[in-house]
Structure formats: C-alpha cells, structure tokens
C-alpha cells in the first residue's frame, strides 16, 4: 500500500505540516517518491505516526520520543532504558503537577481578596495583581 501525505493525514488525524515536521526531525523515515515527486507512505509510516501521536498525548517531548523510537528500532536491546526514560518523564509530570497546585493556591488566594460587588477601583483581585512580586516567586 502506498498513500500520499494527504491520505496519511486523514488516516492518522495528524496535520500535513506536522507530518512534514516529524520527517524533518527524523522521527518519521523519509518516504518513497512517486514519478511525479509526491511523497508515498506505507503501513510502517502509519504505525510509527500512531506511536508518535500516542507519546505526544502523554506529553512526551520530541527528544523523549526520539529516544523511544531508537530503542524500539533495536528490539533486541534491554528495555531498562525505556523504564529509565519513563521514570524521568513521570518525575517531570510530578513537578508540573506540584507547580500547577501552587498556581491554583495562588489563584484561590487572589480570588479571596475580592468578594461581592465592588467598583473596579476597589477590586481586591486587581489590587493583588498590581502588588504581586512575580519575579521573587
């Protein structure tokens, strides 16, 4: 089976520009070309693109995906590196969750500075935002 990039985009739910970007970044192998110089993709491209999209849905970086693809392309290797990469990603997610919880606490504290109807001039939220020491946080 050989399909053009537009068909690959439709089948994968991925934008054409993203497919080209993944090719440029070396995540997708270069496709064959038709006599008219159109890109021609096969099942392996579809499967690899699905793998990449699943990794992206888990918020993995292109660097992490590149490493996973490299390991996946060498199936006889020990999968310890995969576990190490995933553990590092989990730690990054935990740090982001912590930062988001801190952000939520800050927003809740800010919201509590103004309750009820007041003039904008007396709004505790706007005053709190104006007095924020954002560079020190």
């Amino acid at each position: 089976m050989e399909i053009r990039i537009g068909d690959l985009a439709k089948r994968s739910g991925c934008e054409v520009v993203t497919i080209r970007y993944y090719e440029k970044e070396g995540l997708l192998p270069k496709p064959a070309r038709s006599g008219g110089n159109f890109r021609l993709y096969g099942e392996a491209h579809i499967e690899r693109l699905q793998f990449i999209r699943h990794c992206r849905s888990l918020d993995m970086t292109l660097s992490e995906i590149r490493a996973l693809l490299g390991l996946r392309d060498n199936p006889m290797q020990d999968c310890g590196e995969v576990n190490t990469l995933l553990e590092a990603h989990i730690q990054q997610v935990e740090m982001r969750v912590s930062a988001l919880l801190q952000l939520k606490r800050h927003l809740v504290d800010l919201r509590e500075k103004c309750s009820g109807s007041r003039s904008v001039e007396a709004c505790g939220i706007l005053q709190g935002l104006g007095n924020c020491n954002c560079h020190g946080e």
Side-chain angles (χ1 to χ4, degrees), residues 60-106:
M60 292 185 177
T61 65
L62 293 184
S63 177
E64 290 169 327
I65 296 168
R66 188 175 289 106
L68 287 172
L69 286 170
L71 292 165
R72 190 170 172 252
D73 290 342
N74 294 293
M76 299 311 290
Q77 282 186 278
D78 185 309
C79 73
E81 288 184 54
V82 175
N83 290 325
T84 300
L85 190 142
L86 191 60
E87 185 60 36
H89 186 68
I90 291 168
Q91 288 175 359
Q92 290 172 357
V93 168
E94 287 174 348
M95 288 185 333
R96 287 201 331 262
V97 166
S98 177
L100 285 171
L101 288 172
Q102 183 178 357
L103 173 62
K104 180 184 175 186
R105 285 189 300 273
H106 181 71

Side-chain angles (χ1 to χ4, degrees), residues 8 10 17 23-24 50 78 89-90 93 106 118 123 128 130:
L8 178 61
K10 287 177 190 168
V17 67
E23 282 178 28
K24 181 177 155 256
Q50 290 170 341
D78 185 309
H89 186 68
I90 291 168
V93 168
H106 181 71
R118 298 181 182 181
C123 178

Side-chain angles (χ1 to χ4, degrees), residues 105-116:
R105 285 189 300 273
H106 181 71
L107 291 170
V108 168
D109 290 345
L110 196 56
R111 183 184 60 201
E112 291 173 358
K113 291 184 181 286
C114 189
S115 59

Side-chain angles (χ1 to χ4, degrees), residues 5-77:
I5 196 166
D7 292 328
L8 178 61
K10 287 177 190 168
R11 288 184 64 170
S12 67
C14 195
E15 299 288 330
V16 168
V17 67
T18 304
I19 294 169
R20 288 183 180 140
Y21 178 73
Y22 289 159
E23 282 178 28
K24 181 177 155 256
E25 290 296 312
L27 298 174
L28 274 179
K30 298 279 184 204
R33 295 283 185 158
S34 70
N37 206 29
F38 291 104
R39 291 176 168 96
L40 298 175
Y41 298 89
E43 286 294 330
H45 289 99
I46 295 168
E47 192 276 328
R48 193 167 179 105
L49 187 56
Q50 290 170 341
F51 180 87
I52 293 167
R53 287 183 43 83
H54 189 197
C55 289
R56 292 296 291 149
S57 76
L58 297 172
D59 205 31
M60 292 185 177
T61 65
L62 293 184
S63 177
E64 290 169 327
I65 296 168
R66 188 175 289 106
L68 287 172
L69 286 170
L71 292 165
R72 190 170 172 252
D73 290 342
N74 294 293
M76 299 311 290
Q77 282 186 278

